[in-house]
Amino acid sequence: EAGVAQSPRYKIIEKRQSVAFWCNPISGHATLYWYQQILGQGPKLLIQFQNNGVVDDSQLPKDRFSAERLKGVDSTLKIQPAKLEDSAVYLCASSLVQGNTEAFFGQGTRLTVV
Amino acid sequence: AQRVTQPEKLLSVFKGAPVELKCNYSYSGSPELFWYVQYSRQRLQLLLRHISRESIKGFTADLNKGETSFHLKKPFAQEEDSAMYYCALRGGSTLGRLYFGRGTQLTVWP
């Protein structure tokens, strides 16, 4: 089966600019996650969707980060304006349902803010 | 609060030697524990989960609730085991989200 697709793979922007990442989950997967992985750390959840509704966004810095999953399939994550500390790999993952099913990860988008 | 600790950032062994990657956790309820692996230039993928009680690629991990540990073990390491390994926890109330440790980079020398 096709895996989780993310684009772009790499992005370099200047601080205070905006950036958007795109994720296409595995077909039929209702749950979608965005994780942030800073160098030297494990992934940390930013936001979780169940279909097109937000289940958990408690760790999302809402003053600059936003995410949407309008039709319950693809999702975009936006940062505006970016800060130096946003440099990280942004991972998208999906699972069939929330709870006790395996999460499949995309390749990630490596963001560098200069 | 949920926390996953992987004390070793780097671990090196020679081919054929036993390997153990340590993972300790803190969680007030009954968690699910996982090991994820990321080979060079590949995506993060599930290696094994404690509820499956299976051996994958020769690796096993046993959940020790008394010691709150979930160490990953393999009796004879192979060069292709070189990768980044992440221990992760999912709690019953966390709706599917995973809490990851910082990861251990395993290098198996020939």
Side-chain angles (χ1 to χ4, degrees):
Chain A
E1 68 183 5
V4 176
Q6 289 188 247
S7 68
R9 289 292 310 278
Y10 306 92
K11 189 75 177 178
I12 301 175
I13 62 171
E14 295 183 348
K15 59 183 178 183
R16 291 187 289 273
Q17 284 187 322
S18 61
V19 65
F21 313 127
W22 173 83
C23 172
N24 181 231
I26 293 172
S27 177
H29 281 196
T31 308
L32 185 146
Y33 312 83
W34 282 102
Y35 285 85
Q36 179 193 56
Q37 185 173 18
I38 293 171
L39 187 64
Q41 300 180 19
K44 184 186 79 172
L45 183 76
L46 290 175
I47 189 166
Q48 177 182 344
F49 291 94
Q50 180 69 15
N51 296 309
N52 62 348
V54 175
V55 172
D56 184 353
D57 63 356
S58 58
Q59 300 300 306
L60 188 73
K62 298 180 186 64
D63 57 333
R64 298 183 300 105
F65 286 66
S66 64
E68 59 184 12
R69 194 184 183 200
L70 291 175
K71 296 183 179 179
V73 181
D74 295 4
S75 176
T76 56
L77 176 70
K78 297 179 182 177
I79 308 175
Q80 181 179 10
K83 293 185 175 181
L84 295 176
E85 57 261 37
D86 298 331
S87 294
V89 175
Y90 290 85
L91 296 167
C92 180
S94 69
S95 63
L96 199 55
V97 295
Q98 67 187 26
N100 61 352
T101 57
E102 180 179 347
F104 294 85
F105 285 80
Q107 293 271 35
T109 296
R110 182 178 297 279
L111 173 67
T112 303
V113 182
V114 297
Chain B
Q2 300 88 345
R3 179 178 293 181
V4 177
T5 302
Q6 294 179 251
E8 303 135 333
K9 195 171 180 180
L10 303 169
L11 184 62
S12 294
V13 300
F14 284 102
K15 177 183 173 181
V19 62
E20 180 180 54
L21 291 85
K22 291 183 167 48
C23 173
N24 290 89
Y25 68 90
S26 63
Y27 183 70
S28 56
S30 294
E32 280 187 85
L33 273 296
F34 305 83
W35 277 99
Y36 278 80
V37 61
Q38 187 168 26
Y39 300 102
S40 180
R41 295 193 177 87
Q42 294 187 27
R43 62 188 69 198
L44 196 60
Q45 57 186 283
L46 179 66
L47 180 62
L48 54 80
R49 54 198 301 182
H50 88 271
I51 61 173
S52 299
R53 292 185 164 270
E54 56 190 347
S55 173
I56 303 293
K57 300 184 178 182
F59 285 98
T60 58
D62 290 318
L63 179 60
N64 186 321
K65 292 186 178 181
E67 296 183 358
T68 59
S69 68
F70 188 57
H71 303 327
L72 183 68
K73 301 177 184 179
K74 185 170 183 177
F76 307 103
Q78 302 300 313
E79 290 178 69
E80 55 264 30
D81 296 329
S82 296
M84 192 73 173
Y85 291 81
Y86 294 95
C87 182
L89 174 156
R90 183 166 65 198
S93 62
T94 56
L95 303 173
R97 71 178 292 177
L98 293 164
Y99 294 87
F100 285 88
R102 66 170 177 175
T104 298
Q105 177 67 50
L106 173 66
T107 302
V108 181
W109 300 104

